[in-house]
Amino acid sequence: MSKKRTKYTSAFKTKLVLELLQNESTLVQIASKHNILPQNLQNWKKTFLANAEIAMEPSKAVKEYKEELVKSQKQNERLTALVGKVTVEKEWLAKKLKSLGLSNLKQLVDFKPSSTSATQPLSINQQCQLLSINRSGLYYTPRTNVRKDKIKSHITKVFEQIPIYGEKKVHQQLLEDGYKVSLNTVARYRQALGLKAVLAVKQVNTAIPIKAHKKIQL
């Protein structure tokens, strides 16, 4: 069990230093008398003499303290304003990042952060936390459905050639072209592509009057 360290008050230290400065007893005698280490008494004496100027001219010490206090307050105000500015910018940036898709957020991650700048570079884990994305998702490559892409491409091709075809006609055309696909799948793919049949119906222009019709004046 370790021995509890003894704490001495400032009044006790000052009393022993003044007794030492009177030169009536030696350092060892005073230390032995009060059951303390001579090295401790020597350190207290150095501290006392180093701060003796404060006792002789307290107004100077108070002035320096006030100047340091004012300087610290100004620095705190500047840092507070800076923290507020950074907080507002961070919130604005967080809202903008939410509008981006996951694929775009992944592109923002720097896998080889540069260490040439004055500040310490952010690790990949820190970047993922700031972007609110899962780190494990960075290394995942989504699988592409080649058959699905081919069918969608062919549906688009049929629409460009014959835009009046509906989903049933397009389905029939796909079967004739060698694609084994259901009608529901064709309808779902057309909806995903935003394709709708364009009706070949000529709109009636009601703005041009027919000469054979007589106008009745009231």
Side-chain angles (χ1 to χ4, degrees), residues 10-20 22 30 34 41:
S10 58
F12 176 77
K13 296 177 183 179
T14 304
K15 177 183 176 182
L16 266 61
V17 171
L18 292 176
E19 185 178 349
L20 178 62
Q22 291 176 0
I30 296 174
H34 296 279
L41 183 56

Side-chain angles (χ1 to χ4, degrees), residues 155 158 165-174 186 190:
I155 290 175
V158 172
Y165 271 8
E167 56 189 37
K168 292 183 179 180
K169 287 286 187 179
V170 174
H171 175 241
Q172 184 178 355
Q173 185 64 44
L174 287 174
V186 173
R190 279 170 58 85

Side-chain angles (χ1 to χ4, degrees), residues 93-106:
L93 183 59
K95 292 180 180 179
K96 293 296 181 182
L97 288 175
K98 287 183 180 179
S99 62
L100 298 177
L102 181 60
S103 59
N104 293 328
L105 290 175
K106 289 181 180 180

Side-chain angles (χ1 to χ4, degrees), residues 102 105-106 109-113 122-141:
L102 181 60
L105 290 175
K106 289 181 180 180
V109 178
D110 187 4
F111 290 92
K112 295 181 180 180
L122 294 176
S123 64
I124 296 178
N125 190 27
Q126 289 174 318
Q127 295 180 54
C128 291
Q129 290 179 357
L130 291 174
L131 295 173
S132 300
I133 59 178
N134 195 342
R135 181 179 177 180
S136 60
L138 293 176
Y139 310 99
Y140 172 75
T141 304

Side-chain angles (χ1 to χ4, degrees), residues 15-101:
K15 177 183 176 182
L16 266 61
V17 171
L18 292 176
E19 185 178 349
L20 178 62
L21 293 176
Q22 291 176 0
N23 292 325
E24 293 180 358
S25 302
T26 63
L27 185 146
V28 176
Q29 290 174 344
I30 296 174
S32 177
K33 176 182 176 182
H34 296 279
N35 193 22
I36 62 172
L37 295 175
Q39 184 62 37
N40 289 346
L41 183 56
Q42 185 67 28
N43 294 336
W44 297 345
K45 178 182 177 182
K46 290 180 180 180
T47 303
F48 182 85
L49 295 177
N51 295 277
E53 184 179 357
I54 298 176
M56 300 302 296
E57 195 175 356
S59 59
K60 181 180 179 182
V62 173
K63 181 181 179 182
E64 292 178 354
Y65 172 77
K66 288 183 177 180
E67 290 177 352
E68 288 293 331
L69 182 61
V70 172
K71 184 179 179 181
S72 298
Q73 290 177 347
K74 290 182 178 180
Q75 186 176 6
N76 288 338
E77 291 176 358
R78 183 178 63 84
L79 292 176
T80 302
L82 182 60
V83 170
K85 180 175 178 292
V86 172
T87 302
V88 172
E89 293 176 350
K90 181 178 179 296
E91 292 178 353
W92 177 86
L93 183 59
K95 292 180 180 179
K96 293 296 181 182
L97 288 175
K98 287 183 180 179
S99 62
L100 298 177

Side-chain angles (χ1 to χ4, degrees), residues 147 150-151 154 171 173-181:
R147 182 176 180 274
K150 286 183 177 181
I151 294 174
H154 199 73
H171 175 241
Q173 185 64 44
L174 287 174
L175 294 177
E176 292 177 0
D177 294 338
Y179 291 93
K180 294 182 179 180
V181 60

